[in-house]
Amino acid sequence: MNIAAVERDSGLPKDTLRVWERRYGFPAPLRDQHDERLYPPEQVATLRLLRRLVDVGYRPGKVVGLPDADLTRLLERVSGSAQQPLGAEAREVLALLGASDAIGLREALGAMVLRVGLGDFAANVGPGLAQAVGAAWSRGELEIHQEHLFTEQFTNVLRGSIHMAQWAGAPRSRPRVLFGTFPQEPHALGLLMAEAMFTLEGCLGISLGVQTPITEIAAAARAHQADILALSFSAMIPPSQATAGLDELRALAPATAEIWAGGACPGLRDKPGLKIVRGLSEIAPAVRAWRARAAEPA
Amino acid sequence: MNIAAVERDSGLPKDTLRVWERRYGFPAPLRDQHDERLYPPEQVATLRLLRRLVDVGYRPGKVVGLPDADLTRLLERVSGSAQQPLGAEAREVLALLGASDAIGLREALGAMVLRVGLGDFAANVGPGLAQAVGAAWSRGELEIHQEHLFTEQFTNVLRGSIHMAQWAGAPRSRPRVLFGTFPQEPHALGLLMAEAMFTLEGCLGISLGVQTPITEIAAAARAHQADILALSFSAMIPPSQATAGLDELRALAPATAEIWAGGACPGLRDKPGLKIVRGLSEIAPAVRAWRARAAEPA
DNA sequence: TCCGGCTGTTTGTCCTGGACAAATACGCCA
DNA sequence: TGGCGTATTTGTCCAGGACAAACAGCCGGA
């Protein structure tokens, strides 16, 4: 793999890959006949581990260069604290994915929504499933195509449920919420789960889908007279980019629109005009608080 | 805007921005107190125009450095030649997008499906709408966020219709069809329209979503015992990459699985084990032919 | 004991200018 | 007109230097 492929795969910018090599002696890629870096697959795998450790707060100088075994141990210590014993739902989903049973998977997910309700599903079960699938993938127990299958079926079930929720209950009302992700963020799952939570609260939601340029999110906020811009971040996105992008959006968006950011991206902080939503279950009370604020001055 | 922000916004890599400046004298960013590039907004807008011209085949050396008026004229010439008179549906959709009426748009698309039927919608109306929206965007009549809104609502309506179609009619049967796109191809619309056509023919469809690595598509073909691998290509993807990828997939996938490729990518050709589907309405007869072939040797 | 400010170190990102392979255009000949 | 070999264009890579922002560690005061 050449350096551009590794950048895509590991999420580490080319400059960082080169400077790590210079400073820490790792990665140590081979060279092709034209002296360009060629990364062996196992080094790319190690880089993925390092990326995750750095994301959770380890400093590169302390961990780059350590053998894989140590890195895995550190990661387990981190995720061990966050790791719950897998719920029955997660076990069922992993079993169906292992068997490549697409239809069974869709039916199982649909049944879960019906059993626990959309709110509980989107706020608790869904994130748990996504985390379990991601963890299984990073342990090598799932192939990429099985993760794709999960994403696809999960998306379908959630979209269908949101669609039904839009017609149920009271007619849609304010706040008008605009959903989107930044250009570097291709993951739609977090956005969809947030959309479900807002919809259940009776908000009027409009989604721009993933990977919308920041200037365009701001323009859409004006066009749709949005009250809230809801942005979703996965752990994949570098926190520095997320923060920089949020600052840029805050400068460009109308002052009447609040910006709410959430997701698995660590290191985000509240600022004037920017609200960090730490979990999906915070959305419902936050919407009620918004409505109280909106009613007050009137 | 610094160079990283411009890379995000224009889609042009940092290296390319610097080398254009060195070779063509444009962009000509200001410098901050630490000699780092600062791009004024109007240069970023010009870079977006250039990006689009390069994407449709112009060579950077010929267009970088030209004044904005010339670039706009060239862009108009490109989109003008492909322009057909707009149907009533397209005019309605463009009007709703212009008004940023998300709810009206969804209702209009839903009504279209009901009026002409899913098959006609997916095979004829849908591609026409997508083309009209793309053309309006390249003429500068639509903003990016309005195109995103269209994609999102179109996707929702189509997914909902496919979901209904799966429960209607005869129970799903072979061929088992696996849907996907190559890693460089992020567009899901073509794939969804194809999924609709196959579903209407009673096929058992399984989607991997977009941007699945080729090795993973092949692995999924085995896991799901797929009869047909359906790949979708937009005009964005370089034909050389598409051909190379299809050859690789043919080599990796099980011989029992046929590969069907379709979409707006020019220059694709039939080969042994590879079928090019030139239009969505070809899918129905092709599925019937597959079934006839499958029944014959038995 | 805890907290806020100060200082030294770490780290990511930017810089220049050079190089070359792949893609594309061009000229030539059949 | 169409196929083929050569010339040009173009994107991406390289090295090694620089510096600001983020961070850790220390210290003194409440």
Side-chain angles (χ1 to χ4, degrees):
Chain A
M1 284 174 88
N2 67 3
I3 195 169
V6 176
E7 174 179 32
R8 277 198 303 272
D9 197 275
S10 70
L12 295 164
K14 295 192 243 282
D15 274 325
T16 301
L17 289 169
R18 286 195 272 253
V19 89
W20 280 11
E21 181 181 341
R22 201 195 315 167
R23 287 181 185 151
Y24 314 121
F26 186 90
L30 311 172
R31 299 292 178 134
D32 67 7
Q33 80 285 356
H34 185 51
D35 230 32
E36 301 195 345
R37 292 171 174 79
L38 277 184
Y39 294 83
E42 60 274 14
Q43 293 196 18
V44 181
T46 307
L47 285 168
R48 272 195 295 262
L49 295 180
L50 287 169
R51 168 74 205 280
R52 288 173 50 197
L53 283 173
V54 170
D55 277 350
V56 298
Y58 282 88
R59 307 217 70 187
K62 308 284 178 190
V63 290
V64 176
L66 262 50
D68 275 19
D70 290 358
L71 301 178
T72 322
R73 200 168 37 74
L74 288 177
L75 270 177
E76 273 166 10
R77 188 185 306 167
V78 176
S79 69
S81 58
Q83 194 174 12
Q84 307 103 2
L86 286 181
E89 285 96 350
R91 282 200 305 276
E92 183 182 6
V93 164
L94 290 178
L96 289 165
L97 278 177
S100 287
D101 183 354
I103 293 159
L105 177 60
R106 187 173 50 204
E107 287 170 355
L109 291 172
M112 284 177 206
V113 173
L114 293 179
R115 189 164 62 240
V116 304
L118 178 56
D120 193 16
F121 182 81
N124 304 314
V125 180
L129 292 179
Q131 203 217 331
V133 169
W137 172 73
S138 73
R139 283 196 306 271
E141 294 169 14
L142 284 183
E143 313 257 359
I144 295 174
H145 69 83
Q146 292 168 317
E147 202 205 1
H148 275 230
L149 184 69
F150 169 76
T151 304
E152 190 72 14
Q153 301 295 359
F154 189 91
T155 304
N156 269 328
V157 168
L158 215 44
R159 280 186 123 114
S161 307
I162 291 171
H163 188 75
M164 283 203 291
Q166 277 168 339
W167 296 105
R172 307 291 100 197
S173 69
R174 297 181 65 187
R176 300 167 72 93
V177 187
L178 200 63
F179 300 94
T181 74
F182 283 176
Q184 312 88 337
E185 175 60 73
H187 294 95
L189 252 47
L191 205 59
L192 265 181
M193 293 189 280
E195 205 175 332
M197 298 308 291
F198 278 103
T199 302
L200 281 173
E201 287 303 306
C203 304
L204 201 157
I206 300 161
S207 179
L208 296 175
V210 295
Q211 299 191 300
T212 304
I214 293 174
T215 52
E216 291 297 318
I217 298 177
R222 283 175 214 284
H224 295 280
Q225 297 172 20
D227 299 308
I228 297 172
L229 308 182
L231 283 308
S232 163
F233 297 88
S234 74
M236 225 196 70
I237 202 167
S240 57
Q241 280 193 19
T243 309
L246 285 169
D247 287 346
E248 193 186 337
L249 181 60
R250 181 64 282 174
L252 293 170
T256 51
E258 296 188 7
I259 299 177
W260 293 15
C265 182
L268 294 177
R269 288 188 197 167
D270 273 9
K271 288 192 186 184
L274 170 61
K275 175 180 174 60
I276 305 300
V277 180
R278 306 241 161 249
L280 288 157
S281 41
E282 277 189 21
I283 288 177
V287 167
R288 284 184 220 115
W290 184 93
R291 286 193 172 129
R293 274 202 307 281
E296 200 169 275
Chain B
M1 286 171 86
N2 67 2
I3 196 169
V6 177
E7 174 179 33
R8 281 198 304 266
D9 198 274
S10 71
L12 295 164
K14 296 193 243 283
D15 274 325
T16 301
L17 290 169
R18 286 195 273 252
V19 88
W20 280 12
E21 181 181 340
R22 201 194 315 167
R23 286 182 185 150
Y24 315 120
F26 185 90
L30 310 172
R31 299 291 179 132
D32 66 7
Q33 82 285 356
H34 186 51
D35 230 32
E36 303 196 344
R37 293 172 173 79
L38 277 183
Y39 294 82
E42 58 274 14
Q43 293 195 20
V44 180
T46 307
L47 285 169
R48 273 195 293 264
L49 294 179
L50 288 169
R51 167 79 204 279
R52 284 162 54 192
L53 282 172
V54 170
D55 276 351
V56 298
Y58 281 89
R59 308 216 67 188
K62 307 285 178 189
V63 290
V64 177
L66 263 48
D68 275 19
D70 291 0
L71 301 178
T72 319
R73 202 166 37 73
L74 288 176
L75 273 174
E76 275 167 10
R77 190 187 304 169
V78 175
S79 66
S81 63
Q83 195 173 13
Q84 297 126 4
L86 292 180
E89 285 95 351
R91 281 199 305 276
E92 184 183 4
V93 164
L94 290 179
L96 289 165
L97 280 177
S100 289
D101 183 353
I103 292 159
L105 178 60
R106 187 173 52 206
E107 287 171 355
L109 290 172
M112 284 178 206
V113 173
L114 293 178
R115 191 163 60 238
V116 304
L118 179 56
D120 193 17
F121 182 81
N124 303 314
V125 179
L129 291 180
Q131 203 218 332
V133 169
W137 171 73
S138 73
R139 282 196 306 273
E141 293 169 14
L142 285 184
E143 312 258 0
I144 296 174
H145 69 85
Q146 293 168 317
E147 203 206 1
H148 275 231
L149 185 69
F150 169 76
T151 304
E152 191 71 13
Q153 301 296 357
F154 189 93
T155 305
N156 268 330
V157 168
L158 215 43
R159 282 187 122 117
S161 306
I162 291 172
H163 188 76
M164 283 204 291
Q166 277 167 339
W167 297 106
R172 307 290 101 196
S173 70
R174 296 182 65 185
R176 300 166 72 92
V177 187
L178 200 65
F179 301 94
T181 74
F182 284 176
Q184 308 88 342
E185 175 61 72
H187 294 95
L189 253 45
L191 205 60
L192 263 182
M193 293 190 278
E195 203 175 335
M197 298 308 291
F198 278 102
T199 302
L200 281 174
E201 287 304 306
C203 304
L204 201 157
I206 300 160
S207 180
L208 297 175
V210 294
Q211 300 190 299
T212 305
I214 293 175
T215 53
E216 291 297 319
I217 299 177
R222 283 177 214 283
H224 295 279
Q225 298 172 18
D227 299 307
I228 297 172
L229 308 182
L231 283 308
S232 164
F233 297 89
S234 75
M236 226 195 67
I237 203 168
S240 57
Q241 280 194 21
T243 310
L246 286 168
D247 287 346
E248 191 186 340
L249 180 61
R250 181 65 280 173
L252 292 171
T256 51
E258 296 187 8
I259 299 177
W260 295 14
C265 183
L268 295 177
R269 289 190 196 167
D270 274 10
K271 286 191 187 185
L274 170 61
K275 177 181 173 59
I276 305 300
V277 181
R278 307 243 159 244
L280 289 157
S281 41
E282 276 188 21
I283 289 177
V287 168
R288 285 186 218 115
W290 184 92
R291 286 191 172 131
R293 274 202 307 281
E296 202 170 273

